[in-house]
Amino acid sequence: GVGMGMTAPVSITAFPAEDGSLQHKVKVSLRIPSQFQANPPCPSDESIKIEERQGMTIYSTQFGGYAKEVDYVNYAAKLKSALGSEVAYRKDFYFCSGYDPPMKPYGRRNEVWFVKE
């Protein structure tokens, strides 16, 4: 019964297939606002879980526009290429992050994050 509003970024955990496309399973994560961090309200929908994300180091690339799945896949491929084979990062998932409300037409910010191993 508590409204928290929208937070940024909205992170989608993507699970790439061997060909680089995304599997049809994703996890959407929203940051709990600061005032609720110590004692978050319990979700009334059992499919919603509260998880604590541990600190991490990421490799990231940023791009603009209204991001679609193909954009995240393409930028993930570019980031993979830029990092090369010498850099150790998680290959079983990556994060697709968006920072803007849906109605913002210009200056949009999207990112792909690889988690350093």
Side-chain angles (χ1 to χ4, degrees):
V2 176
M4 294 190 293
M6 195 62 177
T7 62
V10 173
S11 292
I12 298 170
T13 306
F15 301 92
E18 288 192 25
D19 65 358
S21 66
L22 299 182
Q23 296 180 34
H24 289 282
K25 71 174 186 176
V26 296
K27 179 169 49 170
V28 178
S29 302
L30 305 171
R31 185 182 179 283
I32 294 176
S34 298
Q35 67 266 33
F36 297 105
Q37 287 281 323
N39 189 20
C42 289
S44 56
D45 181 332
E46 65 184 44
S47 69
I48 298 173
K49 309 278 189 264
I50 295 177
E51 297 180 349
E52 186 170 337
R53 189 180 283 177
Q54 298 300 316
M56 64 182 111
T57 300
I58 62 167
Y59 301 104
S60 177
T61 188
Q62 182 178 326
F63 61 98
Y66 281 97
K68 297 181 273 314
E69 179 179 330
V70 67
D71 299 314
Y72 285 115
V73 169
N74 288 338
Y75 278 92
K78 289 178 184 180
L79 182 56
K80 179 180 178 178
S81 177
L83 292 173
S85 60
E86 300 298 315
V87 177
Y89 60 90
R90 297 286 304 265
K91 303 205 176 32
D92 54 331
F93 72 91
Y94 59 87
F95 295 106
C96 305
S97 298
Y99 289 82
D100 303 295
M103 301 311 291
K104 182 178 179 184
Y106 303 105
R108 297 182 65 80
R109 177 179 171 184
N110 311 291
E111 296 176 348
V112 172
W113 302 347
F114 289 173
V115 178
K116 181 179 178 181
E117 286 190 322

